[in-house]
Amino acid sequence: MRLALLLLTLLGLALAQPPQTTPPPDLSPEVFRIAKGLRCPVCQGESASESNSGVAQEMRRLIAEQLAQGKSEAEIRQFFVERYGPWILYEPPKQGLTLWVWLSPLIGLALLAYGLWRYLAATRARAVPADVSEEEIARLEAELHQPPDPHRRTP
């Protein structure tokens, strides 16, 4: 029984493969770096470098071919934008309509800060009564700084 368990454990260790951390030897790391900035057209939420779909593999092959032809990264990205549209880029360009996508969180934070400032200003204005005299304020501050009376009952 122990021998069978030991053999199963060794077999499991032999068959277990560590996750692939380096690109396959047939493609350069630059191919995967460029593909990381492109979406896989058929996968949801994966880049072309992470996906194992046929389309992503073809995209990586096209990137490798274009690099071999001497094209720059910008030219390769433009090729895919012309083919699939700007959504193929993981980071859309910061111009035109997509500029609003980049700026909307900042605009939202600014509006939130303004609303919070207005709310706090209105709360402070309501919290300070105008008809309280200086003597009453001094008396209340003196009461606050006195130690509590142990014989006094609170309701």
Side-chain angles (χ1 to χ4, degrees), residues 105-129:
L106 297 174
I107 293 169
L109 284 174
L111 289 173
L112 180 67
Y114 176 73
L116 185 61
W117 174 72
R118 294 288 303 193
Y119 171 77
L120 291 175
T123 304
R124 274 191 231 112
R126 278 184 271 133
V128 178

Side-chain angles (χ1 to χ4, degrees), residues 82-154:
E82 289 171 2
R83 191 175 219 186
Y84 295 102
W87 71 270
I88 195 79
L89 301 174
Y90 252 115
E91 243 184 72
K94 298 172 181 91
Q95 61 188 8
L97 185 60
T98 59
L99 186 62
W100 286 108
V101 174
W102 288 98
L103 293 179
S104 61
L106 297 174
I107 293 169
L109 284 174
L111 289 173
L112 180 67
Y114 176 73
L116 185 61
W117 174 72
R118 294 288 303 193
Y119 171 77
L120 291 175
T123 304
R124 274 191 231 112
R126 278 184 271 133
V128 178
D131 58 346
V132 178
S133 67
E134 292 293 325
E135 295 88 29
E136 287 179 284
I137 293 175
R139 183 182 55 81
L140 288 173
E141 285 180 354
E143 285 182 20
L144 285 174
H145 295 296
Q146 288 180 354
D149 186 6
H151 301 294
R152 182 174 180 216
R153 294 178 120 189
T154 56

Side-chain angles (χ1 to χ4, degrees):
M1 181 66 176
R2 286 185 181 175
L3 183 60
L5 186 60
L6 179 65
L7 287 174
L8 281 174
T9 304
L10 290 175
L11 180 64
L13 290 174
L15 293 177
Q17 297 178 359
Q20 188 174 3
T21 57
T22 58
D26 58 336
L27 296 175
S28 71
E30 188 176 8
V31 169
F32 282 86
R33 185 181 57 74
I34 294 171
K36 194 173 210 74
L38 301 172
R39 293 183 198 280
C40 174
V42 295
C43 304
Q44 192 172 23
E46 282 188 316
S47 70
S49 70
E50 299 166 337
S51 174
N52 288 325
S53 71
V55 175
Q57 290 174 0
E58 181 65 18
M59 287 174 73
R60 290 191 297 261
R61 188 189 63 73
L62 285 171
I63 292 170
E65 283 179 6
Q66 291 183 7
L67 283 173
Q69 294 170 1
K71 291 190 176 177
S72 69
E73 180 179 347
E75 291 172 323
I76 295 170
R77 289 170 57 98
Q78 186 58 38
F79 168 79
F80 284 103
V81 167
E82 289 171 2
R83 191 175 219 186
Y84 295 102
W87 71 270
I88 195 79
L89 301 174
Y90 252 115
E91 243 184 72
K94 298 172 181 91
Q95 61 188 8
L97 185 60
T98 59
L99 186 62
W100 286 108
V101 174
W102 288 98
L103 293 179
S104 61
L106 297 174
I107 293 169
L109 284 174
L111 289 173
L112 180 67
Y114 176 73
L116 185 61
W117 174 72
R118 294 288 303 193
Y119 171 77
L120 291 175
T123 304
R124 274 191 231 112
R126 278 184 271 133
V128 178
D131 58 346
V132 178
S133 67
E134 292 293 325
E135 295 88 29
E136 287 179 284
I137 293 175
R139 183 182 55 81
L140 288 173
E141 285 180 354
E143 285 182 20
L144 285 174
H145 295 296
Q146 288 180 354
D149 186 6
H151 301 294
R152 182 174 180 216
R153 294 178 120 189
T154 56

